[in-house]
Amino acid sequence: MSSALQSFRSGDVPLEIGLAALGGSSSAAPHPEEMKAGVELRIGRGFAMSASARTTPAGLICAAIAVSAILLSASALLRAAPRRGST
């Protein structure tokens, strides 16, 4: 076992230093069910923008649950709010 791994497990090294010492990177290994998307937008010659995303089916389900919880709570707040102009 490497000394960096040993000190990381013992808690002596902060997380980011431990991962760098172990050769970890910000891009994780690809998931077998990973979905990828990318788009590039160009407007004239002076503006170009590109974006990419990757997710898994479980990530999409979690995002859908979070959005539905937000919308459900927003609808409850709107229903409970007093109406303007009502007496």
Side-chain angles (χ1 to χ4, degrees):
M1 184 180 310
S2 72
S3 62
L5 181 59
Q6 181 64 34
S7 61
F8 176 70
R9 287 193 176 169
S10 66
D12 296 338
V13 180
L15 178 63
E16 58 272 6
I17 295 172
L19 289 176
L22 294 174
S25 66
S26 62
S27 63
H31 191 275
E33 297 175 354
E34 182 179 70
M35 296 175 276
K36 296 180 181 179
V39 65
E40 186 171 325
L41 175 67
R42 292 180 186 261
I43 300 176
R45 293 183 184 177
F47 182 77
M49 182 174 70
S50 64
S52 63
R54 62 182 205 178
T55 187
T56 61
L60 290 177
I61 290 172
C62 289
I65 290 171
V67 168
S68 63
I70 290 169
L71 292 176
L72 182 64
S73 62
S75 66
L77 288 174
L78 290 174
R79 188 175 299 237
R83 302 268 187 238
R84 287 188 173 171
S86 63
T87 55

